[in-house]
Every structure is written in C-alpha cells, then in structure tokens.
C-alpha cells in the first residue's frame, strides 16, 4: 500500500471518529429536563417558600448530580462509547461547582449577606461554570450559562416573582438549547 493512501485512510478514520463523537455526545435531553425541573422548582421556592429553599437545594442538587452522572453513564454505555476519562472529566467539572458554592457560602454567611444576595452569587457562579462547560464539554450549555449570568444580575429588577422568572428562564434555556443544538443525525434522541 502506498504511504499516501495509508495516510488518507488514517485521516478519514480520525475524521469519522470525531464526527461520530460529536453526533453521539449527549443524545438524550433527559439531563437537561432533569435540571430544568430542579432549577425551576428551586428558584420558585426562593419566592414562595424561602425558608425551605436552602433545604431543597441541599437535597436536590447532590441528588440531581448523582442522577445526571447515572443517566450520562448509562447513555454512553448504551451507545457503546463509554469512556471512563470523559466521565471523570464531567464529574470533576460539575463537582467543582459544589466546591465553588461552598466557598461562596463560606465567604457570604459570616458577613450576614441576605439570602437573596447569596442566591445571586450562587446563580452567577453556576452560570459561569455552565458557560465554561459549554466551551469545554458540550456546546449546548453555552446559552444556559449566559442566561444564568444575566439572570443573576437581573433578579433585582424583575417583579413580582423575580426568582420564579429566573428559574423559568434558565429552565427554558436548558431545554431549548438541548433541542435546538441537538446533533444533526436522525437518531439524535
């Protein structure tokens, strides 16, 4: 076989592998829907039942993280593209959000910041983390990340239920982005 032909075949193989990875990455919108429900519910609690909101977030966030990890791992195994290093990378990325939120709380609580302001900082932190996930892990998280950052800044100017509006905006951006930016192949769902 000619070296040029071998090189062409190797390049074609790599191109096909990258295209397959891009097509199969996050085929299901189940994780987006899960987080849309968690975020819309939690943000609404900030308006309607602020005393229960911290308890909700302490339970729903780790449960959603673990459930997302399970959904993602199962989907990858089903597709035959399970890659342990990708799972670890995703887990570390989203796990870093827990650390960042803990640091925000560690800084904010001793200073007596209001619950609403702490929630804004957490939403900002989550938005930046989501945006970075869009840059480095899955492009469908770019728009929700931007929406979260903007909502963190806009919550003081929204009425009558600012956190409910924020939660619904973030939930809508997650679902719309997951559907709108889905892979182009017909078996995407």
């Amino acid at each position: 076989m000619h070296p040029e032909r071998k090189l062409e075949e190797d390049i074609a193989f790599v191109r096909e592998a990258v295209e397959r990875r891009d097509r199969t990455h996050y085929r299901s919108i189940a994780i987006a829907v899960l987080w849309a429900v968690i975020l819309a519910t939690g943000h609404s609690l900030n308006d309607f039942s602020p005393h229960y909101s911290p308890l909700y977030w302490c339970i729903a966030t780790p449960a959603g993280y673990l459930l997302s990890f399970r959904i993602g791992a199962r989907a990858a195994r089903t597709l035959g593209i399970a890659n342990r290093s990708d799972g670890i990378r995703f887990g570390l990325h989203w796990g870093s959000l827990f650390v960042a939120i803990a640091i925000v709380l560690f800084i904010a609580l001793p200073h007596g910041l209001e619950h609403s302001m702490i929630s804004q900082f957490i939403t900002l932190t989550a938005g930046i983390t989501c945006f970075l996930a869009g840059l480095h892990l899955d492009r469908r998280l770019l728009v929700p990340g931007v929406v979260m950052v903007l909502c963190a800044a806009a919550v003081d100017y929204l009425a009558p239920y600012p956190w409910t509006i924020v939660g619904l905006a973030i939930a809508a951006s997650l679902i719309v982005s997951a559907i709108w930016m889905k892979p182009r192949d017909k078996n995407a769902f």
Side-chain angles (χ1 to χ4, degrees):
M1 181 179 284
H2 294 287
E4 295 87 17
R5 180 71 179 145
K6 176 69 172 147
L7 181 62
E8 287 175 5
E9 288 177 4
D10 289 346
I11 291 172
F13 174 79
V14 170
R15 175 183 283 158
E16 183 181 320
V18 169
E19 288 173 354
R20 190 177 113 214
R21 184 204 65 197
D22 290 344
R23 280 194 313 268
T24 59
H25 202 55
Y26 279 101
R27 286 178 165 248
S28 173
I29 65 166
I31 294 173
V33 171
L34 170 69
W35 282 102
V37 170
I38 290 171
L39 294 172
T41 303
H43 283 89
S44 295
L45 282 175
N46 286 348
D47 284 333
F48 297 107
S49 190
H51 297 346
Y52 292 111
S53 179
L55 178 62
Y56 172 83
W57 289 113
C58 286
I59 294 169
T61 306
Y65 174 81
L66 293 173
L67 191 54
S68 297
F69 196 77
R70 181 173 167 90
I71 291 169
R74 186 171 185 223
R77 274 193 311 271
T78 301
L79 294 170
I81 57 169
N83 185 344
R84 188 171 181 87
S85 65
D86 282 347
I88 291 170
R89 190 166 43 108
F90 276 77
L92 287 173
H93 177 84
W94 293 110
S96 71
L97 178 57
F98 289 117
V99 173
I101 290 172
I103 291 170
V104 167
L105 292 172
F106 184 76
I107 293 169
L109 291 176
H111 293 286
L113 293 181
E114 294 178 15
H115 177 262
S116 182
M117 184 174 280
I118 294 171
S119 296
Q120 282 179 277
F121 284 127
I122 291 173
T123 303
L124 176 64
T125 303
I128 293 168
T129 304
C130 189
F131 180 78
L132 290 173
L135 288 177
H136 302 291
L137 301 174
D138 182 359
R139 66 189 175 95
R140 290 185 247 185
L141 296 170
L142 286 170
V143 172
V146 170
V147 169
M148 284 184 201
V149 169
L150 294 175
C151 284
V155 74
D156 290 329
Y157 305 101
L158 302 172
Y161 302 110
W163 285 106
T164 302
I165 294 168
V166 165
L168 293 174
I170 294 169
S173 71
L174 281 166
I175 293 172
V176 168
S177 184
I179 293 171
W180 179 46
M181 297 176 88
K182 71 179 181 179
R184 299 290 183 230
D185 66 340
K186 64 183 177 184
N187 298 320
F189 287 95

